[in-house]
Amino acid sequence: SNIVDIYNLTSNSWSIAKLSIARKDLAATSIRNLAFFAGGYNKEGYSGIVDIYNLTSNSWSTAKLSIARKDLAAISIRNLVFFAGGWNGTF
């Protein structure tokens, strides 16, 4: 699916957004006002896409991982976002 369910704590309400492509087995993390959804797998194969949501501007952008993969890990530390590991069909 490419659906993102968004819960607003202040208004106690839900809204929906869409990722640039549908995929499963992706990783997600956030830092400051940005949310990151990276990698995954769909009928077209492994994804290297990173969808980035900017809360301040209420806008979406994309970036690319160094290699396409699924089942990767994500973590944020200070002003850095890390995506590591995963599977792309090879080692």
Side-chain angles (χ1 to χ4, degrees), residues 28-37 50-62 75-76 78-81 83:
T29 190
S30 63
I31 191 165
R32 298 185 186 173
N33 65 329
L34 301 174
F36 298 83
F37 304 90
V50 181
D51 287 293
I52 306 164
Y53 174 70
N54 185 316
L55 178 65
T56 303
S57 64
N58 189 31
S59 63
W60 289 87
S61 62
T62 60
I75 189 169
S76 304
R78 296 193 184 189
N79 64 341
L80 299 174
V81 173
F83 297 105

Side-chain angles (χ1 to χ4, degrees), residues 7-72:
Y7 178 71
N8 185 318
L9 183 63
T10 304
S11 65
N12 189 31
S13 63
W14 288 91
S15 61
I16 295 174
K18 291 186 178 183
L19 299 174
S20 62
I21 60 168
R23 54 205 196 263
K24 66 178 186 172
D25 302 327
L26 63 160
T29 190
S30 63
I31 191 165
R32 298 185 186 173
N33 65 329
L34 301 174
F36 298 83
F37 304 90
Y41 185 83
N42 65 21
K43 64 183 177 182
E44 316 226 337
Y46 300 97
S47 174
I49 298 293
V50 181
D51 287 293
I52 306 164
Y53 174 70
N54 185 316
L55 178 65
T56 303
S57 64
N58 189 31
S59 63
W60 289 87
S61 62
T62 60
K64 286 199 170 197
L65 296 169
S66 61
I67 58 171
R69 55 201 191 267
K70 69 173 190 157
D71 297 326
L72 60 163

